[in-house]
Amino acid sequence: MNIKAAKASDRTGGADLHDRRAAEMRRRGACPTLAAPMPTGDGLLVRLRPTGGALTLSQFASLARSAAAHGNGILEITARGNLQIRGLRAETVGQLAADIDAAGIIIPDGPAIETSPLHGIEPEEISDAAVMEMALRSTLHDLLASPRLAPKLSLVVDGGGSFGLSAVSADIRVAAQSHTDWLVAINGDGETAMPVAIGPAETAISAVGEILSLLATLGQGRRTRDIDPALLRARFPAMEGIPFNPPRAAGIPLAGTHRLEDGKIILGVRPEFGQMRASDLIALLDLAKALGVTAIRLAPGRGFFLIGLPADTVPAMQIAAAGHGFSTEPGENTEHIAACAGAGACGSAFYETRTLARRIIAAAPALFDGSLTLHLSGCAKGCAHARPALTLTGSAEGYGLILNGLAADQPDERIAGGRIDFAIERLARSIEDNKDAGESTAACLTRLGATGVSKALRQE
């Protein structure tokens, strides 16, 4: 979708204030960790990234039981495949940490390093991302632990394959090019990041160390986008000559079945909008263990993989998963919605995002042809989705509709709280009435533009 609504050149003082607040939102602080949980509307929130995004069934179940005992029993998986536990209190965070330690779950210090979810087992993988993660942490331990690095610094190790991370943006990305060579690039995803070095593992690790050292020298809070290009070229004089062939995005849905070389099945599971109750997760994991599942892998796209199901047990697993609120089939409309925790779970949110999501799915099926993402953000922080999307941002006055942008952007249309259902109905009808044969919803909205959509929403 590529809508660029025209903005008035003579912005008001209110618009200027909005822009300043938007910039502040984009510079929000560190991610919530065990050492620094984040206050939300339902207590404290922590985000966990186990080494390699891998857990045993017993470890995942232990986390669920701990979430029920020390939080409010709600767990979430983020768009980047990290695990969140909600509803903690200051006095229970330490108890959660003790449970994590007792379960043998390793949460590395320093920035999270996100790895391809099926590392080491995917038949089409180019090279094992988990091995590279371990090498980076071992060799660059002191640099990764530097307090001068930005709290939200992101690193990705992409081993390639059907479930590679080409769509995931990062400050530093290390992507397998062959069984021996790795590409190091900065500030972007698999298509947009700038290559700086290529070579065997030792070369890649050295390049990552150079970038981390440069960021630490520049000062706390700096990201790779802040590095002066001339300074970068001085550190990496060979970067201009690096051949760069962007990977082809696989586009395979997380939910569904995928076969391993030994004939066993991987089952992709998605909690509704990435959120699940501990009791439902425990019941699912108990059955998974009984049916022969051997491991869990957290995955981008707000879900996880059950590894090693015998093929004849898959139907029973899928039925049970659906009964506990999990999706195991691709193509569901919820795949195209990024919804934050919303009111009741976050003190910053102005509306219940998941409730509205279900109403939109029922009332506006035309939105869900797979051509766009609908971002439901309870406030202008936009925690659930960091890329431009068709966005509804909550505010004290109601909703801001942004046709193709971030939650903090200036709205293309403002909708009073009591008129949201009417606006959804009008938007869906406008798409149905105006979409040409073979045209996608995203393309239709691009053609209508802000003026056309605003006119449709204001019709009685």
Side-chain angles (χ1 to χ4, degrees):
M1 186 177 180
N2 186 27
I3 300 171
K4 188 66 177 177
K7 307 295 182 184
S9 59
D10 55 340
R11 291 189 172 187
T12 64
D16 290 336
L17 177 60
H18 182 280
D19 290 344
R20 290 196 298 273
R21 286 177 175 170
E24 291 169 2
M25 292 298 185
R26 295 191 187 101
R27 294 194 299 268
R28 62 187 184 273
C31 296
T33 64
L34 275 172
M38 182 176 74
T40 66
D42 58 351
L44 297 176
L45 168 73
V46 300
R47 186 175 300 158
L48 310 171
R49 174 72 188 182
T51 301
L55 294 164
T56 67
L57 273 74
S58 62
Q59 286 174 335
F60 205 8
S62 293
L63 280 173
R65 286 191 291 270
S66 191
H70 308 308
N72 61 7
I74 294 177
L75 301 92
E76 295 171 329
I77 302 178
T78 71
R80 298 180 73 96
N82 298 313
L83 185 67
Q84 294 185 160
I85 295 177
R86 307 192 67 92
L88 297 159
R89 303 183 304 279
E91 63 272 20
T92 63
V93 173
Q95 295 168 327
L96 172 66
D99 288 349
I100 290 172
D101 187 59
I105 301 170
I106 298 174
I107 310 294
D109 295 330
I113 298 179
E114 293 154 1
T115 54
S116 313
L118 298 182
H119 56 76
I121 59 175
E122 184 186 344
E124 297 181 23
E125 183 181 49
I126 299 171
S127 196
D128 194 333
V131 173
M132 173 57 79
E133 178 192 2
M134 293 175 63
L136 286 168
R137 291 198 182 279
S138 174
T139 307
L140 306 178
H141 178 271
D142 291 344
L143 276 172
L144 288 168
S146 171
R148 294 181 63 81
L149 295 179
K152 294 181 75 68
L153 186 75
S154 56
L155 292 90
V156 158
V157 179
D158 185 358
S162 299
F163 289 94
L165 302 180
S166 59
V168 179
S169 183
D171 285 285
I172 303 172
R173 60 185 310 108
V174 184
Q177 303 298 289
S178 69
H179 293 301
T180 57
D181 286 348
W182 296 81
L183 174 75
V184 178
I186 65 168
N187 189 33
D189 59 22
E191 293 185 354
T192 62
M194 178 185 297
V196 298
I198 191 169
E202 295 78 8
T203 299
I205 293 169
S206 176
V208 173
E210 282 285 318
I211 297 166
L212 293 174
S213 178
L214 182 57
L215 289 171
T217 301
L218 290 176
Q220 189 171 12
R222 295 297 184 94
R223 308 286 290 274
T224 54
R225 61 174 176 261
D226 301 317
I227 300 176
D228 183 89
L231 183 57
L232 195 65
R233 286 191 292 272
R235 290 287 186 107
F236 299 97
M239 61 181 285
E240 302 291 350
I242 295 175
F244 180 47
N245 298 311
R248 181 175 57 86
I252 298 177
L254 183 154
T257 57
H258 316 281
R259 188 174 296 273
L260 290 171
E261 288 182 328
D262 63 2
K264 295 289 183 68
I265 299 296
I266 297 171
L267 181 62
V269 178
R270 293 181 70 252
E272 187 182 41
F273 310 117
Q275 190 176 91
M276 53 198 159
R277 294 195 172 276
S279 55
D280 289 319
L281 178 58
I282 291 168
L284 184 75
L285 294 173
D286 284 345
L287 178 60
K289 182 177 180 180
L291 294 180
V293 172
T294 57
I296 299 291
R297 297 288 180 86
L298 304 176
R302 298 183 175 85
F304 57 91
F305 291 108
L306 299 173
I307 310 296
L309 270 170
D312 60 353
T313 68
V314 170
M317 192 76 247
Q318 290 176 311
I319 292 170
H324 290 291
F326 297 90
S327 171
T328 60
E329 297 286 352
E332 294 196 5
N333 290 339
T334 55
E335 291 180 8
H336 307 297
I337 298 177
C340 70
C346 177
S348 299
F350 289 94
Y351 71 95
E352 294 182 0
T353 54
R354 288 167 171 80
T355 300
L356 182 60
R358 296 183 190 103
R359 299 211 307 264
I360 292 175
I361 288 172
L367 289 175
F368 303 104
D369 65 349
S371 65
L372 55 76
T373 295
L374 174 62
H375 179 194
L376 301 181
S377 185
C379 74
K381 287 189 291 186
C383 299
H385 193 71
R387 294 188 173 194
L390 176 62
T391 302
L392 272 174
T393 300
S395 70
E397 293 76 33
Y399 302 83
L401 176 65
I402 302 153
L403 292 181
N404 185 40
L406 306 177
D409 289 345
Q410 189 78 10
D412 294 303
E413 183 71 17
R414 297 188 184 277
I415 303 167
R419 289 179 60 84
I420 186 61
D421 288 323
F422 171 81
I424 292 166
E425 178 188 337
R426 293 302 308 166
L427 181 62
R429 187 178 302 174
S430 178
I431 293 168
E432 291 167 353
D433 292 345
N434 288 281
K435 187 188 288 188
D436 292 335
E439 187 178 35
S440 71
T441 295
C444 179
L445 286 174
T446 298
R447 182 167 51 79
L448 290 174
T451 301
V453 170
S454 294
K455 180 179 178 181
L457 295 183
R458 291 169 190 237
Q459 289 178 350
E460 295 294 342

